[in-house]
C-alpha cells in the first residue's frame, strides 16, 4: 500500500458532542491518536472526550477518545507544549498508523496538511513551504501556504504535516495566523513533540539528532566561560566553520559544558533540561545542532554512516547543517577516523556549507594538518592565497546577504539602526587582491590580504550580531502573533467572538503587530491584555 492510500486510514476529524468540528488528529495505531492540547480544550481539556470521525474509512463508526495518563502537555505560560495523546474507547481495526519520522527540515521544503476548515467537514488538502523557526523559543516552524493552496484556517490544528517528497509525517499544525487570508501557520516538529511527550517514542521512526550519551551531561560541574564560547560559536559562526576543541576527560567541567550546550541546541533534548547554571548567558538557538555523534568506541565506518544517514551528504542537502563529533580520540580507530572521515569532511566544509565542531579529550591529532579555524569567525587561518580569497569571497557574499536582510527587516521594528553598506567596497578589495595574484604580484597580495581579512571579519561579525537581533525581534513578534491567534481561536471555540471587550482588545493587539513598525513592548502588553481577558471570560483556563 502506497503512502497516498495509507494516509486516508490514519487522518481523523475531531468534534464536540453536538457535531461542531474542533480540529484534526492523526491515528498512531488502532487505539491511539495525536492532536493539539488546545483542540481538546474545546471539549473540557484534560478530561474532555472528543468525538473521533475516521474520514478516510467511510464504513467506520465514530468513536470517542480521552487523554491517556501522562499524555497531556497543555500550553504553558510561554506558549510551549500543546500536545495531547488520546486513546479510543473501542479500537478501529482498519486504521493504519501515521508514519511519524525525525527529519532534518530545510527552508522552502514542500509539505502538505489535511484539515477541516469551516464549510469543508469532509476535509481538504493544503500545500505549504517551510520558512524557518518561529514561535515560542523557536520550538515551532513557520508554514507559508503556496499561492494556489487552500488557506490554513481553523480546523487544521492537530493535523499531520507531511513531507511532500516522502509522505512521512514531520510535524503537527499547532497554530495559524488569522489575518492575510490564512497564508501563514505553524507546526511542531516531530522531534519537539517527542521531547515534550516521551510516550510518543514507540511510534517515531528515524535516528535522533543527538546520541544518547550526551544526555549524561552534568549541570553541577560546568565550565561556564567555555559554555558561553560554545553557545557563541553555535549562534554566530557561518557555513564552512571548523572548530577543534579539547575538553579533557568526560567528567571534566569543559566536557560537561559542551554537552549541555549541545543538548540545549537539540529540538528533542532541550525540552527536558534542568535549570542552566548561573552565568551561562544567552543559550544557543533550538535546532542549531543537527547532529551530535559520540565517537567513543565507534569505528570510522560507523561514524561515517551516522553522518551520512542524518545529513545526506551524497545528495547535496547538507547546506547550513551543524555537526558535532565528540570523543574522537576515544574512538575505536581514532587515527583512521581523522584521516578518512573527519579531515576530508573538514576540508569540504565550505563546499558543503556545513559547520563542524571536532571535540577531542586530549591533544588533537589534527594539529598541524588540514584547515584550521577560529571559533570567533569560522574563517580558516593560513593556507594559500587562492584558498584565502575563496573564503573572503564567501564572507563578503554573506555580508551582502546580511545587508539585504537588514534593509528588508529593520523598517518593520521601532528603534533598529541600519548598518552602513560595506559589502560593495569590500568586494572591490577582494577583486584587487585577486587581480594581483593573477598578475603574479604575490608579494603585494600577501602584504594586504591580512588587512582585508580583518576588515571583512569585523564587518561580518557586526552584521551577524544585527542579523541575530533582527531575527530575534522577528521570532518574538511571531510568538506574539501565534499567541494572539491561538487565543482568538480559543475565544471562538468558547462562543466569545462577539464579546465587545475582546473585540476591542484584539483590535489593539492586532494593530500593534501588523500596522506600521512594531514596538515589541507595547505589542506584548496588548497581547497579554487580550490573553488575560480570554482566560478570565473562559473560566481561567
Amino acid at each position: 500500500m502506497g503512502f497516498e492510500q495509507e494516509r486516508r486510514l490514519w487522518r481523523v476529524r475531531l468534534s464536540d458532542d453536538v457535531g461542531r468540528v474542533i480540529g484534526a488528529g492523526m491515528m498512531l495505531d488502532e487505539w491511539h491518536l495525536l492532536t493539539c492540547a488546545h483542540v481538546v480544550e474545546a471539549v473540557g481539556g484534560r478530561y474532555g472526550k472528543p468525538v473521533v470521525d475516521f474520514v478516510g474509512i467511510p464504513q467506520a463508526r465514530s468513536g470517542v477518545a480521552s487523554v491517556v495518563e501522562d499524555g497531556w502537555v497543555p500550553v504553558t505560560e510561554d506558549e510551549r507544549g500543546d500536545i495531547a495523546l488520546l486513546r479510543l474507547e473501542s479500537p478501529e481495526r482498519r486504521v493504519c498508523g501515521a508514519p511519524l519520522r525525525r527529519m532534518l527540515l530545510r527552508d522552502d521544503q514542500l509539505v502538505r496538511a489535511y484539515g477541516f476548515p469551516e464549510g469543508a467537514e469532509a476535509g481538504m488538502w493544503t500545500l505549504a513551504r517551510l520558512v524557518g523557526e518561529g514561535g515560542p523559543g523557536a520550538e515551532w516552524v513557520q508554514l507559508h501556504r503556496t499561492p494556489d493552496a487552500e488557506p490554513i484556517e481553523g480546523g487544521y490544528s492537530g493535523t499531520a504535516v507531511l513531507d511532500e517528497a516522502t509522505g512521512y509525517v514531520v510535524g503537527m499544525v499547532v497554530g495559524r495566523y488569522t489575518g492575510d487570508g490564512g497564508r501563514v501557520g505553524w507546526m511542531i516538529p516531530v522531534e519537539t513533540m517527542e521531547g515534550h511527550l516521551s510516550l510518543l517514542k514507540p511510534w517515531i521512526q528515524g535516528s535522533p539528532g543527538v546520541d544518547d550519551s550526551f544526555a549524561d551531561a552534568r549541570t553541577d560541574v560546568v565550565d561556564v566561560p567555555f559554555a558561553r564560547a560554545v553557545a557563541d560559536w553555535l549562534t554566530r559562526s557561518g557555513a564552512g566553520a571548523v572548530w577543534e576543541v579539547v575538553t579533557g576527560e568526560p567528567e571534566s567541567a569543559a566536557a560537561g559544558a559542551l554537552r549541555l550546550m549541545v543538548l540545549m541546541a537539540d529540538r528533542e533534548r532541550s525540552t527536558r533540561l534542568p535549570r542552566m547554571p548561573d552565568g551561562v548567558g544567552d543559550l544557543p538557538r533550538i535546532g542549531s545542532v543537527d547532529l551530535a555523534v559520540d565517537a567513543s568506541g565507534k569505528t570510522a565506518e560507523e561514524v561515517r554512516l551516522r553522518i551520512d544517514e542524518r545529513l545526506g551528504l551524497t545528495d547535496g542537502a547538507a547546506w547550513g547543517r551543524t555537526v558535532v563529533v565528540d570523543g574522537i580520540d576515544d574512538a575505536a580507530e581514532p587515527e583512521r577516523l581523522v584521516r578518512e572521515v573527519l579531515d576530508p569532511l573538514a576540508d569540504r566544509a565550505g563546499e558543503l556549507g556545513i559547520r563542524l565542531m571536532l571535540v577531542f579529550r586530549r591533544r588533537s591529532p589534527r594539529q598541524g594538518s588540514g584547515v584550521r579555524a577560529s571559533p570567533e569567525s569560522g574563517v580558516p587561518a593560513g593556507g594559500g592565497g587562492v584558498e584565502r580569497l575563496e573564503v573572503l569571497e564567501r564572507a563578503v557574499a554573506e555580508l551582502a546577504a546580511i545587508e539585504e536582510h537588514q534593509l528588508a527587516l529593520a523598517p518593520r521594528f521601532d528603534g533598529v539602526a541600519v548598518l552602513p553598506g560595506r559589502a560593495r567596497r569590500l568586494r572591490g578589495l577582494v577583486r584587487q587582491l585577486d587581480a594581483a595574484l593573477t598578475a603574479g604580484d604575490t608579494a603585494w597580495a600577501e602584504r594586504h590580504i591580512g588587512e582585508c581579512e580583518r576588515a571583512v571579519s569585523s564587518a561580518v561579525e557586526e552584521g551577524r550580531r544585527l542579523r541575530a537581533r533582527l531575527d530575534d525581534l522577528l521570532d518574538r513578534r511571531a510568538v506574539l502573533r501565534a499567541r494572539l491567534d491561538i487565543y482568538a481561536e480559543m475565544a471562538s471555540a468558547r462562543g466569545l467572538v462577539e464579546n465587545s471587550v475582546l473585540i476591542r482588545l484584539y483590535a489593539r493587539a492586532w494593530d500593534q503587530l501588523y500596522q506600521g513598525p512594531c514596538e515589541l513592548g507595547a505589542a506584548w502588553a496588548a497581547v497579554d491584555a487580550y490573553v488575560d481577558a480570554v482566560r478570565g471570560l473562559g473560566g481561567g483556563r
Side-chain angles (χ1 to χ4, degrees):
M1 185 187 299
F3 69 79
E4 295 90 346
Q5 188 173 354
E6 285 181 355
R7 64 196 181 199
R8 289 199 289 269
L9 303 181
W10 49 255
R11 61 185 184 230
V12 293
R13 180 183 63 219
L14 304 182
S15 308
D16 61 16
D17 56 5
V18 296
R20 182 180 58 179
V21 175
I22 59 174
M26 61 192 100
M27 296 300 298
L28 303 179
D29 58 28
E30 61 190 25
W31 284 101
H32 297 91
L33 66 107
L34 181 66
T35 188
C36 293
H38 82 263
V39 170
V40 186
E41 285 279 5
V43 290
R46 169 69 180 84
Y47 300 101
K49 293 188 175 184
V51 176
V52 182
D53 293 309
F54 304 92
V55 293
I57 310 175
Q59 63 271 38
R61 294 183 177 182
S62 297
V64 176
S66 55
V67 178
V68 305
E69 185 177 357
D70 298 326
W72 181 246
V73 186
V75 183
T76 61
E77 288 295 326
D78 59 357
E79 307 297 340
R80 298 172 187 260
D82 200 5
I83 306 161
L85 178 63
L86 290 79
R87 179 182 168 92
L88 293 169
E89 291 181 351
S90 300
E92 173 48 64
R93 305 294 184 186
R94 287 159 290 194
V95 157
C96 179
L100 275 65
R101 188 174 184 86
R102 301 178 180 92
M103 179 182 287
L104 284 178
L105 306 175
R106 65 184 187 279
D107 288 352
D108 209 40
Q109 182 173 341
L110 188 62
V111 296
R112 64 166 58 217
Y114 194 90
F116 306 93
E118 186 175 358
E121 284 74 15
M124 60 175 57
W125 289 104
T126 190
L127 290 170
R129 292 193 181 275
L130 307 185
V131 295
E133 294 83 2
E139 279 198 357
W140 298 351
V141 173
Q142 190 169 324
L143 308 168
H144 274 203
R145 70 174 173 87
T146 57
D148 298 326
E150 296 299 323
I152 304 171
E153 297 178 339
Y156 281 90
S157 289
T159 196
V161 178
L162 291 82
D163 174 54
E164 179 70 0
T166 64
Y168 288 125
V169 175
V170 296
M172 177 174 70
V173 175
V174 66
R176 63 186 175 91
Y177 161 40
T178 53
D180 204 17
R183 186 171 63 91
V184 176
W186 287 269
M187 77 168 195
I188 309 177
V190 164
E191 285 165 300
T192 303
M193 289 193 287
E194 199 277 335
H196 280 293
L197 188 59
S198 60
L199 290 177
L200 294 176
K201 192 170 185 177
W203 293 290
I204 296 176
Q205 307 171 44
S207 59
V210 174
D211 283 355
D212 289 341
S213 58
F214 280 81
D216 297 333
R218 300 177 61 181
T219 58
D220 55 337
V221 181
V222 172
D223 184 334
V224 171
F226 183 60
R228 288 198 298 264
V230 173
D232 187 62
W233 187 85
L234 291 173
T235 301
R236 298 170 57 195
S237 64
V242 180
W243 186 20
E244 296 176 23
V245 297
V246 178
T247 62
E249 297 304 320
E251 300 79 15
S252 71
L258 172 83
R259 293 188 168 213
L260 191 60
M261 291 301 99
V262 167
L263 293 174
M264 191 64 242
D266 177 51
R267 290 189 182 280
E268 192 167 326
R269 306 280 186 175
S270 60
T271 60
R272 311 172 193 164
L273 289 180
R275 179 179 175 273
M276 291 295 105
D278 293 337
V280 169
D282 293 335
L283 298 173
R285 175 181 56 81
I286 294 173
S288 57
V289 169
D290 299 291
L291 172 63
V293 182
D294 183 355
S296 302
K298 293 184 175 70
T299 66
E301 182 65 7
E302 286 173 332
V303 174
R304 185 191 67 78
L305 289 174
R306 177 82 165 99
I307 294 172
D308 284 350
E309 175 196 20
R310 179 71 174 172
L311 264 66
L313 295 176
T314 55
D315 62 10
W319 189 272
R321 304 304 186 189
T322 299
V323 181
V324 178
V325 183
D326 189 22
I328 295 169
D329 38 0
D330 284 343
E333 307 165 306
E335 297 294 338
R336 183 182 176 196
L337 174 60
V338 169
R339 182 179 65 255
E340 297 184 8
V341 179
L342 300 180
D343 260 343
L345 191 60
D347 292 340
R348 295 183 61 208
E351 171 195 343
L352 295 170
I354 65 172
R355 303 188 302 177
L356 185 61
M357 186 185 297
L358 304 177
V359 186
F360 299 86
R361 304 277 164 76
R362 293 163 289 278
R363 182 179 181 275
S364 163
R366 294 192 76 239
Q367 290 175 357
S369 68
V371 177
R372 303 284 300 168
S374 73
E376 293 80 11
S377 66
V379 175
V386 174
E387 290 81 4
R388 294 170 75 179
L389 278 181
E390 289 175 352
V391 172
L392 282 171
E393 287 170 356
R394 289 197 297 269
V396 171
E398 179 185 355
L399 179 62
I402 289 172
E403 291 176 357
E404 183 178 349
H405 185 66
Q406 71 166 4
L407 288 174
L409 291 187
R412 303 182 191 180
F413 299 96
D414 275 346
V416 178
V418 177
L419 294 177
R422 286 172 284 188
R424 179 176 296 180
R425 178 180 64 84
L426 292 170
R427 185 176 284 115
L429 293 177
V430 174
R431 286 172 179 167
Q432 289 179 19
L433 291 166
D434 185 39
L437 286 174
T438 302
D441 193 356
T442 55
W444 186 91
E446 288 175 359
R447 284 199 307 272
H448 293 88
I449 194 169
E451 180 182 353
C452 185
E453 285 174 332
R454 288 189 292 274
V456 170
S457 180
S458 175
V460 169
E461 291 308 314
E462 189 174 4
R464 286 173 180 169
R465 286 193 293 271
L466 178 62
R467 181 178 60 189
R469 184 189 174 203
L470 286 170
D471 289 347
D472 178 63
L473 290 172
L474 202 63
D475 285 347
R476 290 165 65 192
R477 189 183 68 174
V479 170
L480 291 176
R481 287 179 172 183
R483 192 171 187 229
L484 183 65
D485 174 50
I486 289 170
Y487 278 89
E489 192 169 321
M490 189 179 298
S492 176
R494 294 170 178 172
L496 301 172
V497 290
E498 297 183 3
N499 182 281
S500 60
V501 173
L502 292 185
I503 291 173
R504 175 175 53 81
L505 292 174
Y506 179 87
R508 181 183 301 167
W510 193 93
D511 286 346
Q512 289 286 347
L513 291 171
Y514 296 102
Q515 294 292 329
C518 178
E519 201 288 298
L520 277 176
W524 204 285
V527 172
D528 275 350
Y530 179 74
V531 168
D532 290 344
V534 172
R535 287 175 171 169
L537 292 169
R541 290 203 305 269

